[in-house]
Amino acid sequence: MSTVNLTTENDIAFITIDNPPINATSHSVRQGIVDAFDEIEGDSSIKVVILICAGKTFIAGADVSEFGQPPMAPILPDVIKRLEATTKPVIAAIHGHALGGGLEIALGCHYRIAESGAKLGLPEVNLGLIPGAGGTVRLPRLVPVHDAIAMITGGKPVSADKANAIGLIDAIAHGPLRDAAQDFARTIINRPRPLELRRCPPVDAPDDHQWDEIIAGVGKKARGQIAPVIAAQAIRIGIEQDTAAGLVHEREKFVELRDSDQSKALRHIFFAERSVAKLPELDGAAPNPINEVGVIGGGIMGAGIATASLLAGFKATIIERNEEACTHGRATVKKHLSGSLKRGLITQDRFNSLLASLSTSTDYADLGTADLVVEAVFEDMTVKHDVFGKLSKHCKPDAVLASNTSYLDINEIAANCTHPQRVIGLHFFSPAHIMKLLEVVRTDQANATSLATAFAFARKLGKIAVPCGVCDGFIGNRIMSAYRKHCEYMLEDGALPHQIDAAMVEFGFPMGLFAMQDMAGLEISWATRKRLAPFRDPAERYVALGDYLCEMDRFGKKNGLGWYRYDENGKALPDPDVDALVIAESDKKGITRRDFDAKEIISVILDAMRSEGDKILAEGIAMGPDAIDVVMVNGYGFPRHKGGPMFMTQK
Ligand code: NAD
């Protein structure tokens, strides 16, 4: 079976691409398209060409198996030049996703029609690249420049509605796509073929000053990632110079970026995210069907988990301690869903039906039909035992019971349950309905069905599920505790909180460790430290600065004072009082302070992450270094374009 098939119906030719699963622009597809156009060109009975795809999607990207191989002719830019130069008008008929090279092919066509559910985008920057087959040159000749810049430098696809509104497509298909494309063909069949996009003027053109602002804005947003800025510059060159020069420049930059460290790092994390949940022991294990989800506790995490469950299409029941807490939990879920409504992610009807799928109760008996329950009550073993005792009593024997605990021993929780083989950990990140990461914790007794059910649940929630073993803090919190300790050592040895934070931000973290602690509030970890104080090894170095802050009622951003002082707009300002406290502590301990530059600060942090990561691997807590990178990038702000701490420090 060929991947490109040419058929004709009267005076219309159909080029059908059939290269499952995503109709990638593999060599056979590229060659097939060129061959089809050679044939079409010689057939005078053909008046219009429709390029359409079989299967679930239009062309949704490049063939990953060709990555790293020498390019094989015909390369995509030449294929697109060939198709756009055809004397007959070509219509791209789009369903599913038109992404990357797929959208570039569609831009080479003279018309575009898409199903209403289609998504169109140029996501190359997500892999550290820019479009390499004319995207930066053709798109701003079809849609307003600011839309082209947003699509190319942001990498996010747009909906068919948006595409229609900005002129990226000519029509939305109502009814079957093939028929709609054929109807559309009839409307243009007698018109002269439109000019190729690369011969058209840009839709609009910013002036020099505007360009400087645009490129500076893209750079700020990219926080150290180079591809978005290079993409914006390529768009500018494609507009300001002639298109031939623009295309040559774009291709050169594409090839250069393909070999860059950032692109290698981004590709590493892209593939790691897609393989990290594949546990060999789950091969062939069938998950239990899930319809109803129970959530114990409607606080910060419980309400977020309930929201995520509703958005994924499950019925959700929150169990709380009293009616007041039930009302509060429901109100929080409603607030989250209102956010989705406001951002246009759900319609009013969907909002209403999602809220109707939520129940709250104080009676555990209402979980009798739940298929999976996530516990998110206070972080206290006695409370957890009490809750899991009730779940053991009231839930179906095969309902999967999960704890969202951050630090407690889930093996101990499981040991007190009936059917402990269905007890696991599902460690969500806050806000749980937004954060993509989910650590799936395998207890010693967990069976394959429970784990398979947990992963199926995670998939439905749209989460990146990372399997991990039971230990204090699992993968992410454990690594964070380790590097936090070393940051605190640096404070006593000579660094100041804002210097460490500045180094982290410059490296690419969205915020530094101390600003983050201020944001979360300092009192929770203070309470934990006080609780654990009697068990602390007296020989281990202990930094008490965080305790001193709390003793001075400096609990972080919410009361205006923490590691920083906050102005009336909530902006963090380095506080001389904190600097003095830090310096006095070094004096008290007899430590001679020394300077730390940003490079050394980052190297201390990376070494701490690496060495804890190695321990986690040696103990079998993480399946491999990729799992650690996925956790740190998706849950702890590690810059994605650096690939994760294990990737960066690989020997
Ligand atoms: P929270 O204090 O906001 O919410 C806890 C809720 O549990 C409260 O609404 C409380 O009324 C309810 N509750 C307590 N005992 C109960 C019982 N016996 N039955 C029913 N409801 C009960 O706490 P949170 O931040 O949502 O944390 C919950 C759990 O999630 C903890 O184990 C925590 O370690 C973990 N966690 C928290 C975060 C975070 O960022 N907050 C992140 C990951 C995991």
Side-chain angles (χ1 to χ4, degrees), residues 295-303 305 318-322 325 328-329 361 364 375-380 383-384 386-387 390 403-408 426-431 477 524:
V295 180
I296 317 298
I300 298 174
M301 294 308 289
I305 295 164
I318 293 179
I319 302 287
E320 259 291 355
R321 293 180 297 168
N322 51 46
H328 183 260
S361 170
Y364 282 74
E375 164 279 309
V377 300
F378 302 137
E379 186 76 338
D380 179 316
V383 185
K384 306 269 186 203
D386 176 53
V387 167
K390 288 177 180 146
S403 175
N404 181 46
T405 177
S406 305
Y407 289 99
L408 299 174
L426 285 179
H427 185 229
F428 287 83
F429 289 73
S430 185
N477 279 345
I524 299 175

Side-chain angles (χ1 to χ4, degrees), residues 402-639:
S403 175
N404 181 46
T405 177
S406 305
Y407 289 99
L408 299 174
D409 182 347
I410 309 180
N411 281 329
E412 191 188 324
I413 295 176
N416 279 310
C417 291
T418 57
H419 312 294
Q421 64 278 11
R422 40 85 176 254
V423 177
I424 52 155
L426 285 179
H427 185 229
F428 287 83
F429 289 73
S430 185
H433 59 299
I434 292 177
M435 291 287 283
K436 283 276 205 187
L437 181 64
L438 180 63
E439 287 176 325
V440 178
V441 188
R442 290 180 289 170
T443 52
D444 291 348
Q445 299 189 59
N447 64 15
T449 307
S450 310
L451 286 168
T453 307
F455 282 107
F457 178 59
R459 239 188 331 274
K460 279 283 237 166
L461 260 45
K463 303 287 184 203
I464 299 170
V466 180
C468 63
V470 177
C471 71
D472 199 359
F474 314 121
I475 298 175
N477 279 345
R478 184 165 156 183
I479 291 192
M480 191 170 80
S481 299
Y483 90 77
R484 186 180 55 217
K485 204 159 67 179
H486 285 270
C487 287
E488 291 170 356
Y489 294 164
M490 280 193 279
L491 290 183
E492 286 187 344
D493 291 341
L496 293 168
H498 58 89
Q499 290 170 339
I500 294 178
D501 281 2
M504 289 179 73
V505 170
E506 192 194 315
F507 179 74
F509 281 92
M511 64 167 68
L513 176 71
F514 296 104
M516 193 175 72
Q517 286 184 19
D518 270 0
M519 202 152 100
L522 304 181
E523 71 284 5
I524 299 175
S525 48
W526 184 38
T528 312
R529 287 196 298 276
K530 281 196 284 193
R531 185 164 48 82
L532 297 177
F535 312 103
R536 211 161 32 228
D537 176 1
E540 198 190 327
R541 181 173 178 184
Y542 181 72
V543 179
L545 288 163
D547 301 344
Y548 299 161
L549 292 178
C550 291
E551 286 158 14
M552 294 157 70
D553 288 340
R554 301 182 68 119
F555 296 125
K557 190 169 179 179
K558 61 180 163 244
N559 75 339
L561 291 171
W563 290 103
Y564 291 87
R565 171 183 296 280
Y566 292 85
D567 71 11
E568 57 282 7
N569 302 317
K571 186 169 184 279
L573 305 168
D575 188 343
D577 291 350
V578 174
D579 294 356
L581 186 78
V582 171
I583 292 165
E585 186 66 1
S586 310
D587 273 355
K588 195 167 110 191
K589 289 198 170 173
I591 299 169
T592 308
R593 293 178 67 80
R594 66 180 183 84
D595 288 341
F596 283 82
D597 62 13
K599 198 164 162 233
E600 184 175 3
I601 290 170
I602 293 303
S603 129
V604 168
I605 290 174
L606 287 177
D607 284 352
M609 287 183 171
R610 172 85 215 188
S611 97
E612 197 63 28
D614 285 341
K615 284 185 208 154
I616 284 173
L617 288 176
E619 291 167 28
I621 298 297
M623 302 273 299
D626 288 8
I628 296 174
D629 287 339
V630 170
V631 167
M632 297 316 288
V633 165
N634 287 287
Y636 296 83
F638 195 97

Side-chain angles (χ1 to χ4, degrees), residues 351-405:
F351 171 87
N352 297 343
S353 81
L354 292 179
L355 258 193
S357 302
L358 173 71
S359 325
T360 57
S361 170
T362 53
D363 187 354
Y364 282 74
D366 287 341
L367 295 183
T369 49
D371 305 295
L372 181 145
V373 179
V374 185
E375 164 279 309
V377 300
F378 302 137
E379 186 76 338
D380 179 316
M381 192 52 111
T382 318
V383 185
K384 306 269 186 203
H385 278 321
D386 176 53
V387 167
F388 277 84
K390 288 177 180 146
L391 293 176
S392 294
K393 187 162 157 223
H394 291 285
C395 292
K396 300 184 291 191
D398 65 344
V400 173
L401 306 182
S403 175
N404 181 46
T405 177

Side-chain angles (χ1 to χ4, degrees), residues 79 132 159 164 176 190 234 341 397 402 508 550 636:
V79 174
S159 65
N164 200 26
N190 292 320
L341 178 65
C550 291
Y636 296 83

